[in-house]
Amino acid sequence: MTTSSAAEATSRKPRMTRMTPYDEAMGRYEPVLGLETHVELGTATKMFCGCPTTFGAPPNTHVCPVCLGLPGSLPTTNRAAIEFTTMIGLALNCRIAEWCRFARKNYFYPDMPKNFQISQYDEPLCTDGWMDLAADGKTFRIGIERVHLEEDTGKSLHVGSTGRIHGADYSLVDYNRAGIPLVEIVTKPIEATGALAPQVARAYVTELRELMRTLGVSDVRMEEGSLRCDVNVSLMPRGASEWGTRSETKNVNSLRSVERAVRHEIERQAGVLDAGGTVVQETRHFHEDTGTTTAGRSKEYAQDYRYFPEPDLVPLAPSPEWVEQLRVSLPELPSARRERLQKEWGLSDSEMDALRNADALDVVEATVAAGAPPAQAYKWWLNELSRRATEQGVELATLPITPVQVARVAELVAAGTLNDKLARQVIEGVLAGEGDPDEVVRRRNLAIVSDEGELAALVDAAIADNPDVAEKVRGGKVQAAGALLGAVMKASSGQADAQRARELILEKLGVPS
Amino acid sequence: MAITRDEVAHLARLSRLALGDDELDHLAPQLDVIISSVARVQEVAAEDIPPTSHSVPLTNVFRPDERQPCLAPDEALAGAPAVEDGRFRVPRILEEE
């Protein structure tokens, strides 16, 4: 057993094709992208039965005869799921079908207890829309092929030495998730992005996520799997008009991963093509830890689903009145909201782009709502916190600091209790779990020294230690006071009230400030 | 013959139905008759007859987004051939290569 599996491991070692560095690949090839995004809807109950959709319940406690596919049970469509999907379609400028049907997708895999999944096939609810987005200051219009509704599948736990489906001895299935309404949003092929392809892919998913959140149709928590992305990438030589063969990377589950997966696939495929090989049309898996993809075995997915119209559900025929009612009920959409906020906050286009790229719009808005001036909210989230999030490889919003806490830091700076340097230390303390900003200021003793006596002592010491400089200032060379101020700041570990200290220096040296 | 006794036995196994020999003897010919009859209906479907997916002229049958009671976990798992840790235990999904 041991020897045979060792031999197997050797034979399975993938043949390494050299990857082509990104810039080099972009010099020779033009990528074409396609994105399929699955969004779990935030309805209270499942698509076709009244079981709850809440995340994290003990296994098989949110199940009933319908979602377990027990004999004699019949599905009934959740009205809210149809409304949510229609709203998504409308927000994506789609045409809403006047008549469409669910389809039965048959397959033999135990993540659905019925041996089929109710989905939509050739008659999706929404078709032919678009969404505009910006990446690196350029605007791209992404075509939406379709938005359709299906039911999510159960979760499998694979038991065996590998912990994965390959090499598992058996699997354990929890059907709590089976039957939760799932919307699939498919783009048309995205062309002419050039080297911006990874950013465009990320911007698309970011925009989509914002849209879902704004519509209130999903909590879009990527880490809980309520938004999942499949990324299709192909390359064609620059100047060519015929697309190359695409790969489909499944289950890319964070914004950063979407960007990395596209980039990796471009480098990998360019490597294959540069070596004179051909790209294989296949399903690939993305690995978060390495940012790379590996081939799935094609026979897993080579299936004939034998789609046919779902006999247990009657067709859908949303009336124009109903659709119109939903259209007028749509909230302010993210693009309109951004335009408004940009105006209100007085940000430039590039500042707004930076804000979005850092996924900081919501936190900055919340920070402004908590009382911070927009420029301060922008500064702390963008210049300080975003850098830390990137360093730690986490999403900005998951940092352990709240907009209210950031607003408090900004308030302390505005009140002169903190300067920027001290504020940075306060933020560090909050992130380290030392409590609210005021608590960190107290514990770390970080407030600015503005006590006249303390400041005067610091100034006197600085003058005494630097007699030459002091003499120059007395002689009218006011700029030289900077060196004395530097000494004061150094002696106070940056905590002296710089403005007041400067005034004192000049006062003591008899120079009118 | 539209369906053989062996095929019915195979389907019964896939459907987790424990059919005895006498039941197979009894049911297999009946299924054969049913399938043959459906095949005859297909013969009359011509170009001018549109395919029908539903027998009732209804659309938009919905339920409100309201919770209904779920099964208790032991009820949910009662029909499972094997159970472990509150989950349905299923045989290895992918064949070894």
Side-chain angles (χ1 to χ4, degrees), chain A residues 129-173:
Chain A
W130 51 267
M131 180 170 81
D132 282 340
L133 56 85
D136 200 32
K138 289 199 190 104
T139 304
F140 293 89
R141 175 156 293 191
I142 309 297
I144 303 293
E145 178 75 32
R146 57 188 280 153
V147 178
H148 81 239
L149 194 48
E150 60 190 35
E151 49 180 349
D152 209 347
T153 58
K155 264 187 203 164
S156 312
L157 192 72
H158 304 297
V159 182
S161 54
T162 58
R164 296 177 45 219
I165 190 167
H166 297 287
D169 297 326
Y170 60 93
S171 299
L172 299 174
V173 196

Side-chain angles (χ1 to χ4, degrees), chain A residues 87 90 94 96 322-331:
Chain A
M87 286 164 69
L90 290 170
C94 289
I96 309 300
W322 189 24
V323 173
E324 198 44 42
Q325 205 182 319
L326 290 169
R327 188 194 305 275
V328 298
S329 75
L330 292 181

Side-chain angles (χ1 to χ4, degrees), chain A residues 182-428:
Chain A
L182 193 66
V183 160
E184 182 175 322
I185 302 163
V186 183
T187 66
K188 294 178 181 173
I190 305 167
E191 300 180 83
T193 59
L196 289 175
Q199 287 103 303
V200 169
R202 180 184 178 139
Y204 168 76
V205 182
T206 306
E207 184 75 34
L208 210 53
R209 201 176 62 152
E210 251 174 74
L211 187 66
M212 298 301 137
R213 211 179 273 153
T214 305
L215 293 174
V217 297
S218 171
D219 59 10
V220 284
R221 291 202 183 111
M222 291 186 93
E223 70 283 4
E224 288 180 5
S226 55
L227 188 151
R228 321 196 276 271
C229 208
D230 299 344
V231 177
N232 300 336
V233 178
S234 70
L235 294 184
M236 58 181 168
R238 283 208 169 273
S241 55
E242 203 172 312
W243 298 337
T245 307
R246 65 161 205 262
S247 67
E248 184 177 354
T249 304
K250 289 268 183 195
N251 289 327
V252 187
N253 290 338
S254 76
L255 296 175
R256 189 165 156 264
S257 299
V258 168
E259 191 173 340
R260 290 164 83 209
V262 171
R263 195 182 167 94
H264 174 80
E265 269 306 289
I266 287 172
E267 293 182 335
R268 184 189 69 82
Q269 292 185 17
V272 170
L273 295 170
D274 285 346
T278 47
V279 173
V280 183
Q281 177 156 1
E282 63 188 351
T283 300
R284 300 185 66 86
H285 303 291
F286 182 73
H287 305 282
E288 295 277 348
D289 48 350
T290 55
T292 58
T293 65
T294 53
R297 272 166 280 185
S298 53
K299 71 175 180 191
E300 289 168 46
Y301 300 96
Q303 300 205 37
D304 173 6
Y305 292 120
R306 297 180 296 124
Y307 281 100
F308 59 83
E310 172 56 57
D312 289 344
L313 292 165
V314 300
L316 281 174
S319 70
E321 294 77 30
W322 189 24
V323 173
E324 198 44 42
Q325 205 182 319
L326 290 169
R327 188 194 305 275
V328 298
S329 75
L330 292 181
E332 180 188 36
L333 297 183
S335 51
R337 169 178 168 237
R338 278 197 304 273
E339 230 166 272
R340 176 176 57 79
L341 290 177
Q342 184 176 358
K343 233 177 252 168
E344 285 175 15
W345 297 346
L347 296 178
S348 69
D349 285 353
S350 64
E351 284 172 323
M352 203 63 194
D353 274 355
L355 203 63
R356 294 197 54 218
N357 289 339
D359 200 21
L361 203 68
D362 287 347
V363 287
V364 168
E365 191 183 27
T367 306
V368 171
Q376 285 286 317
Y378 177 89
K379 177 170 119 181
W380 292 115
W381 283 107
L382 258 286
N383 301 346
E384 186 63 24
L385 291 161
S386 163
R387 179 179 55 78
R388 288 169 189 269
T390 310
E391 276 167 15
Q392 295 172 28
V394 299
E395 308 276 339
L396 187 60
T398 63
L399 286 177
I401 187 166
T402 64
V404 171
Q405 289 170 326
V406 174
R408 179 61 186 155
V409 170
E411 199 181 328
L412 290 170
V413 172
T417 310
L418 297 176
N419 57 27
D420 282 4
K421 189 178 166 213
L422 294 171
R424 235 166 257 132
Q425 292 179 49
V426 172
I427 284 172
E428 204 175 86

Side-chain angles (χ1 to χ4, degrees), chain A residues 52-125:
Chain A
T53 55
T54 37
F55 182 79
N60 295 305
T61 53
H62 290 174
V63 291
C64 74
V66 173
C67 56
L68 284 179
L70 298 185
S73 65
L74 285 172
T76 320
T77 306
N78 184 340
R79 185 186 171 99
I82 303 298
E83 290 180 338
F84 284 6
T85 308
T86 306
M87 286 164 69
I88 293 170
L90 290 170
L92 290 171
N93 308 290
C94 289
R95 198 179 66 78
I96 309 300
E98 285 161 24
W99 190 89
C100 65
R101 289 175 297 189
F102 284 102
R104 192 175 282 196
K105 178 182 181 178
N106 300 276
Y107 65 101
F108 297 94
Y109 188 89
D111 64 358
M112 278 312 247
K114 302 181 289 206
N115 275 354
F116 63 83
Q117 177 191 34
I118 301 177
S119 180
Q120 290 194 288
Y121 181 50
D122 51 352
E123 298 168 8
L125 183 53

